[in-house]
Amino acid sequence: MATAKTKKIKPAVETPANGRVRGQGAQTVYERLRQSILELELEPGSPLDESSLSEQFQMSRTPIREALVRLSGEGLVTTLPNRNTVVATIDFVRLPLYFEALTLMYRVTTRSAAVHRRPEHLVAIRSFEAAYSEAVGRRDALGMIQTNRDFHMAIAEAGGNIYFTNLFGRLLDEGRRILRLYYSSFDDKLPRQYVDEHGAMVTAIEAGNADLADQLGAEHAAQIVRQIQSYIGRDTAAQITLTETR
């Protein structure tokens, strides 16, 4: 999808003049690299050299290394056999398998939440639903990605099955850049009907209607999959056309 290239990240100088306490360097590097990766500014396969990053951020290599370890845990970077670190690739070949697993987890977690939810769960779910809606209104893509995860993880936690919750969390983290493509397909202006799908799921969960919750989870996943597949298809066709005209 993309060629590997090194891009500059705006440095954050670790000095008292910045008002930042020492020890926050790793968090700063993590947040900036993570944003660049999720925004696809750092393309899949881009090298992440510790020495170069240390110069860019004007920090020692220790916070750089700590940040890369965190990003690796989220599946956003990969350490190669030669110990070089690169932005993790998006495996489009295995995407149908990913979608299959994701759809199943949308269904099972929403169904389970309808059966096992407690009042405190509904408070958390409603809170994240509102936060997601606000992010959509701001056309804040990274905010949408995070609050969407928070919303669905709150639903999973309401279901009470730690295995479902852990697996769903891994899938949502792995799909963050896929979700970025999804929002890009709308130019980050998400139709209101997709926001309303969250509300319908919450209503079904609150009513304890497991069958409807399952159905809505499946439909929600299906429209995401269709939109992403359509977007990827258009992008691939555009790249082929561009290559043919050169």
Side-chain angles (χ1 to χ4, degrees):
M1 176 181 176
T3 56
K5 60 178 73 175
T6 301
K7 291 195 176 183
K8 295 289 185 181
I9 311 296
K10 185 178 179 181
V13 181
E14 194 174 15
T15 64
N18 281 347
R20 185 170 67 246
V21 178
R22 288 189 179 277
Q24 292 182 340
Q27 180 67 23
T28 298
V29 176
Y30 163 77
E31 290 176 353
R32 297 198 181 192
L33 286 177
R34 182 173 177 274
Q35 178 173 340
S36 295
I37 292 170
L38 292 178
E39 285 281 13
L40 300 175
E41 293 175 1
L42 279 173
E43 300 171 348
S46 298
L48 296 170
D49 177 68
E50 288 184 13
S51 297
S52 298
L53 290 173
S54 179
E55 288 184 19
Q56 290 180 37
F57 283 97
Q58 299 180 32
M59 295 181 187
S60 69
R61 294 176 64 169
T62 298
I64 304 297
R65 192 172 296 116
E66 291 175 3
L68 293 177
V69 168
R70 288 186 63 183
L71 292 168
S72 177
E74 294 184 9
L76 293 176
V77 306
T78 301
T79 301
L80 303 176
N82 61 8
R83 297 197 174 185
N84 289 335
T85 302
V86 300
V87 176
T89 58
I90 300 176
D91 191 346
F92 289 101
V93 174
R94 296 176 59 185
L95 210 51
L97 297 177
Y98 172 79
F99 286 147
E100 182 180 0
L102 185 69
T103 298
L104 178 60
M105 295 314 301
Y106 269 115
R107 293 182 59 187
V108 73
T109 56
T110 310
R111 168 179 279 277
S112 186
V115 175
H116 300 290
R117 81 283 181 272
R118 296 194 301 271
E120 61 268 28
H121 292 136
L122 291 170
V123 171
I125 292 169
R126 287 289 188 189
S127 174
F128 290 127
E129 177 197 4
Y132 179 76
S133 179
E134 291 173 3
V136 169
R138 297 193 305 269
R139 296 178 67 175
D140 176 6
L142 292 186
M144 286 188 270
I145 291 171
Q146 184 60 50
T147 54
N148 178 76
R149 184 191 191 281
D150 293 339
F151 172 75
H152 287 292
M153 286 302 291
I155 290 176
E157 289 167 2
N161 188 314
I162 190 171
Y163 296 101
F164 289 161
T165 302
N166 289 342
L167 175 56
F168 201 20
R170 283 174 52 196
L171 290 170
L172 290 172
D173 285 338
E174 185 177 334
R176 286 176 185 266
R177 287 179 296 170
I178 299 297
L179 201 57
R180 184 67 187 95
L181 294 177
Y182 171 69
Y183 294 134
S184 294
S185 70
F186 295 105
D187 193 27
D188 296 341
K189 188 175 182 180
L190 198 65
R192 188 69 200 180
Q193 70 184 82
Y194 298 143
V195 180
D196 294 341
E197 287 182 6
H198 277 189
M201 293 165 68
V202 177
T203 299
I205 291 170
E206 193 168 26
N209 191 331
D211 289 339
L212 179 59
D214 188 322
Q215 175 188 331
L216 292 173
E219 292 174 354
H220 186 61
Q223 64 86 4
I224 293 174
V225 171
R226 285 194 304 270
Q227 187 68 21
I228 292 173
Q229 288 176 328
S230 175
Y231 179 77
I232 292 173
R234 293 197 305 268
D235 185 58
T236 301
Q239 290 185 29
I240 293 173
T241 302
L242 180 60
T243 300
E244 291 176 343
T245 58
R246 286 178 177 173

